[in-house]
Amino acid sequence: MNTRTRILTGTALAVALGAGTFGAVSASAAQAETAPAAASAKKDGGADEKNFTTTTHLTVDAATRAAQAALDAAQKENQKVTVAVVDRNGNTIVTLRGDGAGPQSYESAQRKAFTAVSWNAPTSVLAGRLAQTPNLKDIPGTLFLGGGTPVQAKGAPVAGIGVAGAPSGDLDEKFAKAGADALDK
């Protein structure tokens, strides 16, 4: 590379870096100027209150307590299961895989929990709806087998508990319900 090409390349690089730095500093300054205005809009309330909503979420500690209660209920009956607790959006908060639980139970528990919170109903009830609407089973991430139960706050779903691995969906759902009941204590 000749000297002239090196000088032009170096100059172009310096200009590009300078422009990037200037842009980042300008963006930070603009963000700092607008942040207090945004904060005051939230404090003042008024018309902006209709633009915001408050939701209830299950804490990690509560989700762990519920999962452990479900796993304990299953272990008392010598069942080897996996328990999953998901939030309102279907994101997994905690999963506990009991000793000896089958490999399929992990995903099944999560999908049952997701299904229960999505429809705010136990999955055994939802499984009954498949006769009328068989395409429900085609919705991604769902599993219409007994073993999932929703967790509610003020009548609205905030989480789902799914259990999988027992020989029947009725048992799985019984254990999931034990997990939900542990939250009421």
Side-chain angles (χ1 to χ4, degrees):
M1 197 184 293
N2 68 30
T3 305
R4 182 171 183 220
T5 303
R6 281 190 227 159
I7 291 172
L8 289 174
T9 302
T11 303
L13 183 58
V15 169
L17 287 173
T21 302
F22 177 73
V25 171
S26 297
S28 295
Q31 195 174 35
E33 290 172 10
T34 59
S40 67
K42 289 180 187 175
K43 289 180 191 174
D44 294 342
D48 279 346
E49 283 184 12
K50 66 182 177 188
N51 296 322
F52 301 99
T53 185
T54 302
T55 59
T56 302
H57 297 275
L58 201 59
T59 65
V60 171
D61 289 339
T64 302
R65 190 171 66 247
Q68 189 62 57
L71 190 60
D72 290 346
Q75 287 174 341
K76 284 180 186 172
E77 295 192 28
N78 295 318
Q79 298 301 314
K80 299 172 181 179
V81 301
T82 297
V83 181
V85 181
V86 301
D87 66 12
R88 175 63 185 108
N89 298 317
N91 299 312
T92 302
I93 301 172
V94 65
T95 302
L96 297 179
R97 185 176 178 272
D99 294 336
Q104 79 290 353
S105 65
Y106 189 88
E107 183 178 349
S108 296
Q110 289 177 325
R111 290 175 60 189
K112 289 178 182 183
F114 174 80
T115 304
V117 74
S118 295
W119 275 274
N120 194 22
T123 54
S124 61
V125 171
L126 297 170
R129 295 182 189 171
L130 285 178
Q132 298 141 337
T133 317
N135 61 341
L136 277 179
K137 70 181 180 319
D138 298 332
I139 297 172
T142 58
L143 186 58
F144 292 92
L145 297 174
T149 191
V151 175
Q152 299 178 349
K154 299 177 185 174
V158 295
I161 301 174
V163 176
S168 75
D170 291 341
L171 281 174
D172 284 340
E173 200 157 306
K174 174 182 172 183
F175 305 142
K177 178 108 175 65
D181 291 345
L183 296 172
D184 294 333
K185 297 178 182 176

